[in-house]
Amino acid sequence: MTNVDNGSQASTISTKHIDVSGVRYAYRELGQANPADPTPVVFLQRFRGTLDDWDPGFVDEMARTRHVILFSDAGIGTSTGSAATSVDEKARNAADFVRALGYQSVDVLGFSMGGFVAQAIAMAEPTLVRKVVLVGTGAGGNPDNEPPTDIVFNIATQTEYSFEDIRYLFFAVGHEQETQAFIERVMSRSEDLEPVVGPEVMGVMAQLIGDFMGGSSGHYSRLKELRQPALILSGDRDPFFPAKNHWVLYRELANAQLAMYPNAGHGPHQQHPQEVAAQIDYFLATA
């Protein structure tokens, strides 16, 4: 097991690296492991997200009661190696990383694309993954899914995000104040920054997202295999995954809870960091 720096906050804690099968993975960890429930929570990031894109407010809230590990897959940020070309490859990488840290049981929290990976690792590694938290994500390859908005992927692949891009992608209309607060929290980190994801890696990510959502990866047909307790957290104004899609995911899981935040967007944990962190902590402690 690695030592946890319990005195640091998400905006200042240093990046660590660990070598696993020829890849040097970047990660950050913080929080106090609860003696009654020491299982760490491994965070799996969204499309083009790095360690720096996690909301420090949300991470700090989670770390008040949990040992939190933020993970960067191969080819992302300062992690070496080539970017994974499939959701299953990303899941294998995450499992190898977790075991290299010395853990035999973890909870996983996946945001958006990270939610695809969380589903895959839970199905492939039922003894490694204890509980699953799925934030702003959906089930892939189901004809009942409603499509995303017409413009959301054009915005998501912009070289840089404007204020309005961030508001549209992650928050509901009228929540400019919460958007600005999130931006300020993310921008509060000024040292030990990770490089942004470039166009080549974004293209690889876009392809694996297309494979997952289009059904060619086969994950939707296997969702009944995911039997661990799962918590689905969504906003009812999500431009990537309309509200119906979260119900589609919920109905396919054997042991799931669904919490839909009203007038919230793709990132409910960024719009309501304290409330979402409290709900996740309750789920991990009781479900």
Side-chain angles (χ1 to χ4, degrees), residues 223-242:
L223 273 177
K224 295 297 185 185
E225 300 172 23
L226 199 166
R227 307 195 67 82
Q228 298 97 320
L231 173 63
I232 303 166
L233 294 164
S234 66
D236 67 350
R237 299 293 188 270
D238 188 335
F240 290 97
F241 300 96

Side-chain angles (χ1 to χ4, degrees), residues 265-283:
H266 187 51
H269 60 306
Q270 298 169 170
Q271 189 167 317
H272 304 290
Q274 292 180 326
E275 294 86 347
V276 172
Q279 183 167 21
I280 294 171
D281 182 64
Y282 181 80
F283 165 75

